Amino acid sequence: NDQMKSIRQDLIIQNIRTLFTARVYQWHANQALLNCDNFEYQQCTAQLKKLYNFDLKQIKSTFWLLNKRAELYSKLLIFHAAHQNQTDCQQIIQECCLDFRLLNHGLIKFAINLMSAILTTNYFNFLK
């Protein structure tokens, strides 16, 4: 875990903002989530948002980028809903509203429905 953190920091300090950097951050974010390390998870997702929204815009495969952004934002919505953080949930939804394709992505729709169920404790509507 410390090695991954070191690699992440080296990539950012050396201003390496490529698909490799994104994959390192994705892997480390997933590991942090699995290990309940909320601080590291939030560190990774903050950098991933920057990478996906600014640094990797030049990627020719916009479908790949859209899917990765949808995966990131859906995980963030569920993460913040599980922590009862409505303010961050609303901010993430607002960011998704900036891209119609992202807002209509299946992962985002699922995450919004799950977030709503968690925050309102109305699981019946989610499960039907």
Side-chain angles (χ1 to χ4, degrees), residues 47-98:
Q47 280 299 327
L48 280 169
K49 283 170 70 173
K50 288 178 189 174
L51 284 165
Y52 291 156
N53 292 328
F54 304 108
D55 299 324
L56 298 179
K57 283 284 190 183
Q58 78 281 4
I59 293 177
K60 293 189 185 343
S61 175
T62 56
F63 182 73
W64 178 88
L65 186 58
L66 177 65
N67 285 334
K68 288 300 181 183
R69 288 178 65 217
E71 179 184 343
L72 173 67
Y73 282 100
S74 62
K75 284 180 181 179
L76 281 169
L77 276 171
I78 295 168
F79 174 83
H80 289 299
H83 289 89
Q84 298 293 313
N85 191 339
Q86 292 182 359
T87 304
D88 283 344
C89 288
Q90 289 303 317
Q91 181 184 357
I92 293 164
I93 291 172
Q94 287 175 350
E95 290 177 28
C96 290
C97 286
L98 297 174

Side-chain angles (χ1 to χ4, degrees), residues 13-61:
I13 289 170
Q14 294 177 33
N15 203 28
I16 300 171
R17 300 184 189 295
T18 64
L19 289 176
F20 175 73
T21 307
R23 288 188 177 118
V24 168
Y25 273 90
Q26 289 164 356
W27 187 87
H28 198 214
N30 288 336
Q31 292 304 307
L33 201 54
L34 288 172
N35 292 314
C36 299
D37 189 342
N38 295 342
F39 180 76
E40 285 298 318
Y41 178 71
Q42 291 179 313
Q43 292 281 314
C44 290
T45 56
Q47 280 299 327
L48 280 169
K49 283 170 70 173
K50 288 178 189 174
L51 284 165
Y52 291 156
N53 292 328
F54 304 108
D55 299 324
L56 298 179
K57 283 284 190 183
Q58 78 281 4
I59 293 177
K60 293 189 185 343
S61 175

Side-chain angles (χ1 to χ4, degrees), residues 78 81 108-119 123 126:
I78 295 168
I108 297 297
K109 288 181 178 181
F110 175 82
I112 289 172
N113 288 335
L114 181 56
M115 175 205 69
S116 178
I118 292 169
L119 293 176
Y123 301 104
F126 177 74

